[in-house]
Short mmCIF file of all heavy atoms in Angstrom, two decimals:
data_model
loop_
_atom_site.label_atom_id
_atom_site.label_comp_id
_atom_site.label_asym_id
_atom_site.label_seq_id
_atom_site.Cartn_x
_atom_site.Cartn_y
_atom_site.Cartn_z
N THR A 41 -9.05 26.49 7.39
CA THR A 41 -10.36 25.86 7.17
C THR A 41 -10.91 25.41 8.58
O THR A 41 -10.27 24.55 9.22
CB THR A 41 -10.35 24.65 6.22
OG1 THR A 41 -9.80 25.13 4.95
CG2 THR A 41 -11.69 24.10 6.01
N THR A 42 -12.00 25.97 9.05
CA THR A 42 -12.58 25.56 10.38
C THR A 42 -13.48 24.34 10.27
O THR A 42 -14.11 24.17 9.24
CB THR A 42 -13.15 26.68 11.07
OG1 THR A 42 -14.35 26.99 10.32
CG2 THR A 42 -12.35 27.96 11.03
N MET A 43 -13.64 23.62 11.27
CA MET A 43 -14.56 22.54 11.37
C MET A 43 -15.98 23.17 11.13
O MET A 43 -16.77 22.45 10.53
CB MET A 43 -14.54 21.87 12.67
CG MET A 43 -13.26 20.98 12.87
SD MET A 43 -13.15 19.66 11.64
CE MET A 43 -14.28 18.37 12.26
N ARG A 44 -16.16 24.36 11.67
CA ARG A 44 -17.50 24.95 11.47
C ARG A 44 -17.75 25.13 10.00
O ARG A 44 -18.88 24.89 9.51
CB ARG A 44 -17.53 26.26 12.24
CG ARG A 44 -17.65 26.04 13.72
CD ARG A 44 -17.43 27.34 14.54
NE ARG A 44 -17.58 27.20 15.94
CZ ARG A 44 -16.66 26.63 16.76
NH1 ARG A 44 -15.52 26.18 16.32
NH2 ARG A 44 -16.89 26.54 18.07
N ILE A 54 -21.82 20.59 13.35
CA ILE A 54 -20.50 20.26 13.84
C ILE A 54 -20.43 19.01 14.49
O ILE A 54 -19.56 18.08 14.22
CB ILE A 54 -20.00 21.29 14.82
CG1 ILE A 54 -19.98 22.70 14.24
CG2 ILE A 54 -18.62 21.00 15.39
CD1 ILE A 54 -19.46 23.77 15.12
N GLY A 55 -21.35 18.79 15.40
CA GLY A 55 -21.40 17.54 16.15
C GLY A 55 -21.47 16.30 15.20
O GLY A 55 -20.87 15.27 15.45
N TYR A 58 -18.19 15.41 13.84
CA TYR A 58 -17.37 14.72 14.78
C TYR A 58 -17.87 13.27 15.04
O TYR A 58 -17.23 12.44 15.68
CB TYR A 58 -17.29 15.44 16.11
CG TYR A 58 -16.16 16.56 16.06
CD1 TYR A 58 -16.42 17.83 15.65
CD2 TYR A 58 -14.85 16.17 16.35
CE1 TYR A 58 -15.43 18.82 15.55
CE2 TYR A 58 -13.89 17.05 16.32
CZ TYR A 58 -14.14 18.39 15.97
OH TYR A 58 -13.13 19.31 15.83
N SER A 62 -13.35 11.52 14.36
CA SER A 62 -13.15 11.96 15.71
C SER A 62 -12.25 13.11 15.92
O SER A 62 -12.12 13.65 17.05
CB SER A 62 -12.57 10.85 16.57
OG SER A 62 -11.48 10.17 15.98
N SER A 63 -11.62 13.62 14.90
CA SER A 63 -10.86 14.88 15.05
C SER A 63 -10.61 15.38 13.63
O SER A 63 -10.87 14.76 12.59
CB SER A 63 -9.54 14.65 15.69
OG SER A 63 -8.58 14.12 14.81
N LYS A 64 -10.24 16.67 13.56
CA LYS A 64 -9.97 17.29 12.29
C LYS A 64 -8.83 16.63 11.54
O LYS A 64 -8.94 16.37 10.32
CB LYS A 64 -9.48 18.77 12.54
CG LYS A 64 -9.44 19.63 11.34
CD LYS A 64 -9.02 21.07 11.66
CE LYS A 64 -8.92 21.98 10.45
NZ LYS A 64 -8.33 23.28 10.77
P DA C 15 -12.87 36.31 16.90
OP1 DA C 15 -12.72 37.17 15.65
OP2 DA C 15 -14.20 35.97 17.42
"O5'" DA C 15 -12.03 34.94 16.62
"C5'" DA C 15 -10.63 35.02 16.69
"C4'" DA C 15 -10.15 33.59 16.56
"O4'" DA C 15 -10.09 32.98 17.88
"C3'" DA C 15 -11.10 32.71 15.67
"O3'" DA C 15 -10.28 31.96 14.88
"C2'" DA C 15 -11.81 31.89 16.71
"C1'" DA C 15 -10.88 31.83 17.88
N9 DA C 15 -11.47 31.76 19.14
C8 DA C 15 -12.57 32.47 19.62
N7 DA C 15 -12.99 32.26 20.83
C5 DA C 15 -12.00 31.30 21.34
C6 DA C 15 -11.71 30.66 22.50
N6 DA C 15 -12.51 30.90 23.58
N1 DA C 15 -10.69 29.82 22.59
C2 DA C 15 -9.95 29.65 21.56
N3 DA C 15 -10.05 30.18 20.35
C4 DA C 15 -11.10 31.04 20.26
P DG C 16 -11.03 31.24 13.57
OP1 DG C 16 -10.20 31.58 12.40
OP2 DG C 16 -12.47 31.43 13.64
"O5'" DG C 16 -10.80 29.67 13.87
"C5'" DG C 16 -9.58 29.27 14.48
"C4'" DG C 16 -9.78 27.98 15.20
"O4'" DG C 16 -10.35 28.31 16.52
"C3'" DG C 16 -10.72 27.07 14.50
"O3'" DG C 16 -10.23 25.72 14.68
"C2'" DG C 16 -12.03 27.21 15.32
"C1'" DG C 16 -11.42 27.35 16.72
N9 DG C 16 -12.32 27.99 17.72
C8 DG C 16 -13.32 28.88 17.44
N7 DG C 16 -13.97 29.23 18.61
C5 DG C 16 -13.36 28.39 19.59
C6 DG C 16 -13.56 28.33 20.97
O6 DG C 16 -14.47 28.95 21.59
N1 DG C 16 -12.80 27.33 21.57
C2 DG C 16 -11.84 26.64 21.00
N2 DG C 16 -11.10 25.87 21.73
N3 DG C 16 -11.59 26.78 19.65
C4 DG C 16 -12.31 27.66 19.06
P DG C 17 -10.63 24.50 13.70
OP1 DG C 17 -9.57 24.38 12.65
OP2 DG C 17 -12.07 24.60 13.42
"O5'" DG C 17 -10.41 23.24 14.77
"C5'" DG C 17 -9.16 23.09 15.38
"C4'" DG C 17 -9.35 22.29 16.64
"O4'" DG C 17 -10.10 23.03 17.60
"C3'" DG C 17 -10.03 21.04 16.48
"O3'" DG C 17 -9.41 19.97 17.27
"C2'" DG C 17 -11.45 21.32 16.97
"C1'" DG C 17 -11.22 22.33 18.02
N9 DG C 17 -12.32 23.26 18.26
C8 DG C 17 -12.86 24.11 17.31
N7 DG C 17 -13.85 24.84 17.80
C5 DG C 17 -13.88 24.47 19.12
C6 DG C 17 -14.79 24.98 20.21
O6 DG C 17 -15.63 25.84 20.12
N1 DG C 17 -14.46 24.36 21.43
C2 DG C 17 -13.55 23.45 21.60
N2 DG C 17 -13.36 22.84 22.82
N3 DG C 17 -12.71 22.87 20.70
C4 DG C 17 -12.92 23.49 19.48
P DT C 18 -9.96 18.51 17.22
OP1 DT C 18 -8.78 17.68 17.65
OP2 DT C 18 -10.62 18.24 15.96
"O5'" DT C 18 -10.95 18.49 18.42
"C5'" DT C 18 -10.55 18.65 19.69
"C4'" DT C 18 -11.73 18.60 20.74
"O4'" DT C 18 -12.60 19.73 20.56
"C3'" DT C 18 -12.60 17.26 20.57
"O3'" DT C 18 -12.47 16.58 21.78
"C2'" DT C 18 -13.90 17.87 20.14
"C1'" DT C 18 -13.86 19.21 20.79
N1 DT C 18 -14.84 20.30 20.18
C2 DT C 18 -15.72 20.92 20.98
O2 DT C 18 -15.87 20.65 22.14
N3 DT C 18 -16.52 21.79 20.34
C4 DT C 18 -16.42 22.16 19.02
O4 DT C 18 -17.17 23.03 18.48
C5 DT C 18 -15.50 21.50 18.17
C7 DT C 18 -15.35 21.75 16.75
C6 DT C 18 -14.70 20.54 18.78
P DT C 19 -13.29 15.34 21.98
OP1 DT C 19 -12.57 14.41 22.81
OP2 DT C 19 -13.88 14.88 20.70
"O5'" DT C 19 -14.47 15.83 22.88
"C5'" DT C 19 -14.20 16.51 24.01
"C4'" DT C 19 -15.46 16.87 24.79
"O4'" DT C 19 -16.30 17.81 24.05
"C3'" DT C 19 -16.43 15.64 25.08
"O3'" DT C 19 -16.81 15.75 26.40
"C2'" DT C 19 -17.53 15.87 24.05
"C1'" DT C 19 -17.61 17.38 23.99
N1 DT C 19 -18.14 18.01 22.79
C2 DT C 19 -19.08 18.96 22.89
O2 DT C 19 -19.52 19.36 23.89
N3 DT C 19 -19.46 19.53 21.61
C4 DT C 19 -19.06 19.13 20.38
O4 DT C 19 -19.49 19.73 19.34
C5 DT C 19 -18.02 18.10 20.32
C7 DT C 19 -17.44 17.66 19.11
C6 DT C 19 -17.63 17.56 21.51
P DC C 20 -17.34 14.46 27.19
OP1 DC C 20 -16.82 14.62 28.52
OP2 DC C 20 -17.10 13.25 26.38
"O5'" DC C 20 -18.90 14.79 27.18
"C5'" DC C 20 -19.37 16.11 27.50
"C4'" DC C 20 -20.86 16.27 27.35
"O4'" DC C 20 -21.23 16.80 26.05
"C3'" DC C 20 -21.55 14.84 27.40
"O3'" DC C 20 -22.76 15.03 28.04
"C2'" DC C 20 -21.78 14.48 25.88
"C1'" DC C 20 -22.09 15.97 25.35
N1 DC C 20 -21.79 16.00 23.88
C2 DC C 20 -22.41 17.10 23.16
O2 DC C 20 -23.01 17.95 23.81
N3 DC C 20 -22.14 17.23 21.87
C4 DC C 20 -21.37 16.31 21.32
N4 DC C 20 -21.16 16.44 19.96
C5 DC C 20 -20.77 15.19 21.98
C6 DC C 20 -21.09 15.15 23.28
P DA C 21 -23.24 13.97 29.22
OP1 DA C 21 -22.33 14.33 30.38
OP2 DA C 21 -23.23 12.61 28.71
"O5'" DA C 21 -24.75 14.50 29.50
"C5'" DA C 21 -24.98 15.88 29.63
"C4'" DA C 21 -26.20 16.22 28.90
"O4'" DA C 21 -25.88 16.31 27.46
"C3'" DA C 21 -27.35 15.21 29.03
"O3'" DA C 21 -28.45 16.00 29.07
"C2'" DA C 21 -27.30 14.40 27.77
"C1'" DA C 21 -26.78 15.39 26.72
N9 DA C 21 -26.06 14.95 25.64
C8 DA C 21 -25.30 13.80 25.52
N7 DA C 21 -24.84 13.58 24.29
C5 DA C 21 -25.35 14.63 23.54
C6 DA C 21 -25.18 14.96 22.20
N6 DA C 21 -24.45 14.26 21.33
N1 DA C 21 -25.84 16.11 21.77
C2 DA C 21 -26.57 16.76 22.57
N3 DA C 21 -26.80 16.56 23.89
C4 DA C 21 -26.11 15.43 24.31
P DC C 25 -37.09 13.56 12.79
OP1 DC C 25 -37.28 14.69 11.85
OP2 DC C 25 -38.28 13.01 13.56
"O5'" DC C 25 -36.38 12.32 12.07
"C5'" DC C 25 -35.01 12.13 12.37
"C4'" DC C 25 -34.63 10.76 11.94
"O4'" DC C 25 -34.23 9.98 13.16
"C3'" DC C 25 -35.52 9.86 11.22
"O3'" DC C 25 -34.90 9.34 10.10
"C2'" DC C 25 -36.02 8.81 12.24
"C1'" DC C 25 -34.84 8.76 13.13
N1 DC C 25 -35.12 8.41 14.57
C2 DC C 25 -34.37 7.35 15.13
O2 DC C 25 -33.52 6.76 14.46
N3 DC C 25 -34.60 7.12 16.46
C4 DC C 25 -35.49 7.79 17.22
N4 DC C 25 -35.62 7.50 18.52
C5 DC C 25 -36.18 8.92 16.54
C6 DC C 25 -35.98 9.11 15.27
P DT C 26 -35.62 8.35 8.98
OP1 DT C 26 -35.03 8.71 7.64
OP2 DT C 26 -37.09 8.41 9.29
"O5'" DT C 26 -35.08 6.92 9.35
"C5'" DT C 26 -33.67 6.74 9.75
"C4'" DT C 26 -33.47 5.22 10.06
"O4'" DT C 26 -33.77 5.08 11.46
"C3'" DT C 26 -34.35 4.26 9.25
"O3'" DT C 26 -33.44 3.29 8.75
"C2'" DT C 26 -35.39 3.78 10.22
"C1'" DT C 26 -34.55 3.84 11.57
N1 DT C 26 -35.36 4.16 12.85
C2 DT C 26 -35.00 3.42 13.98
O2 DT C 26 -34.15 2.59 13.97
N3 DT C 26 -35.73 3.72 15.03
C4 DT C 26 -36.78 4.70 15.15
O4 DT C 26 -37.35 4.92 16.21
C5 DT C 26 -37.09 5.37 13.95
C7 DT C 26 -38.12 6.40 13.88
C6 DT C 26 -36.33 5.01 12.79
P DT C 27 -34.01 2.02 7.89
OP1 DT C 27 -32.97 1.70 6.94
OP2 DT C 27 -35.41 2.22 7.58
"O5'" DT C 27 -33.96 0.77 9.03
"C5'" DT C 27 -32.76 0.70 9.82
"C4'" DT C 27 -32.92 -0.44 10.88
"O4'" DT C 27 -33.80 0.12 11.90
"C3'" DT C 27 -33.66 -1.67 10.32
"O3'" DT C 27 -32.94 -2.77 10.78
"C2'" DT C 27 -35.11 -1.61 10.96
"C1'" DT C 27 -34.77 -0.89 12.26
N1 DT C 27 -35.85 -0.10 12.85
C2 DT C 27 -36.04 -0.26 14.23
O2 DT C 27 -35.39 -0.94 14.98
N3 DT C 27 -37.10 0.54 14.73
C4 DT C 27 -37.96 1.38 14.10
O4 DT C 27 -38.88 2.00 14.51
C5 DT C 27 -37.72 1.47 12.56
C7 DT C 27 -38.54 2.36 11.68
C6 DT C 27 -36.62 0.69 12.06
#
Side-chain angles (χ1 to χ4, degrees):
Chain A
T41 303
T42 69
M43 286 300 280
R44 285 166 179 80
I54 297 182
Y58 275 93
S62 51
S63 78
K64 192 179 177 186

